[in-house]
Amino acid sequence: MVELSEAGLGQVFAQLRPLLDERQRRALAGVTARALGRGGVAQVASVSGMSRKTVSTAVAEVDAGLAPAARVRRPGAGRKPLIDHDPDLLAALDGLVEPESRGDPMCRLRWTCKSTRNLADELGAEGHPASSWTVGQLLHYMDYSLQGNAKQREGAQHPDRDGQFHHLNDQVTAHLRRQWPVISVDTKKKEVVGNLRNGGQNWQPAGSPVRVDVHDFPDPEVGKAIPYGVYDMAAKLGFVVVGDDHDTAEFAVATIGRWWDKIGAPAYPKARRLLITADAGGSNGYRVRAFKTGLGALAARTGLAITVCHFPPGTSKWNKIEHRLFAAITSNWRGQPLESHEVVVNLIAGTTTRTGLKVHAERDHGYYPTGVKITPAQLAAIPLTGHVFHPEWNYTIGPGPKNPTPVTTRK
């Protein structure tokens, strides 16, 4: 029998340890200690780095007989989960992060960032010690996850909200069936012009980001870019005019007129009616007299009967132009500094989608003063006919002095 020195025995364990799992290392220690006889447990513990208790347990396992097994550890071995030692831990953690605690002014974390470290500190103060890593694992176990805010609450809803959606949809369907133009209009968010940071990311050579100004202070000499858009629902075409003065009703109507002269009239030469879907507020809101008088002048000039259907208050994000045109524009210019109005126009004009969206964009240097007053007499002179259902939201403006008949939606 070849006898190994303590150094040689240590070399055996050092070379075999990376190749064996926990059960196999324990079996090697037990067999070796039994073969060494008296003092073998102490010697194996010294060269293997195991505790004497572990080696003694291994010898007992060898004496009891080793058998092939899929388990590395015997049943019940290993550290017990923290929730087994502290059954109230999950309830305490859930009480700190549950949504109801946000409205409880007595909750100690009511006004504190609920990071895992802060939650761990609060649990420790309540007699439930746990590390921040453990808190993170327990939160996942309880089906919590990191989430941002979701823009879904629209405030108080008008009782006829759904009814207006149905009426608007009927009008759109009726106009499209007759191949009359249907457009969605709105003003996109005003953009500060300059060599300033624009949200989002864009592909650039590694280590060479676009350099922009540190401070996002607007230049009063340059002004803001005011994009007003028109989206043709049937043709899936966008038309955007970028102004730099004010977002007024006159600017909105001027843009619609531009669209008709350059895009609408050539595309719909036989059209005698136009349907506009618009938000309830802003420069094209249903309360804005200047918007209605401006459309009256446009109807007289073009010979069109213009029907307008406004979305109910608080539902502007349902307007088609928001997710069919404006969302694509924002995606297209992400990470691009809007250095000038010309850059804004070019980026908008370069917007396309795989579903066929194309956009025409141009600059507007016009002056659109605010504070223009429209008298009740001027409003009454418009050939405007309100629909039976919510005439303040739905109305048709005719090209002549006689009030036009609204489009019937009966099939």
Side-chain angles (χ1 to χ4, degrees), residues 293-309:
T293 56
L295 289 180
L298 179 62
R301 179 175 69 82
T302 61
L304 292 170
I306 302 176
T307 297
V308 183
C309 292

Side-chain angles (χ1 to χ4, degrees), residues 65-131:
L66 296 174
R71 295 182 61 93
V72 174
R73 296 183 177 182
R74 65 179 183 274
R79 180 183 296 177
K80 298 295 186 295
L82 191 58
I83 56 177
D84 289 351
H85 296 288
D86 187 357
D88 298 328
L89 177 59
L90 288 180
L93 179 59
D94 187 59
L96 294 177
V97 297
E98 64 179 350
E100 287 74 10
S101 68
R102 298 172 189 166
D104 181 8
M106 301 305 294
C107 178
R108 294 180 58 174
L109 290 183
R110 173 68 177 86
W111 311 109
T112 305
C113 172
K114 293 185 179 181
S115 66
T116 54
R117 290 185 181 276
N118 287 338
L119 290 170
D121 292 342
E122 185 67 19
L123 286 173
E126 294 182 1
H128 306 282
S131 67

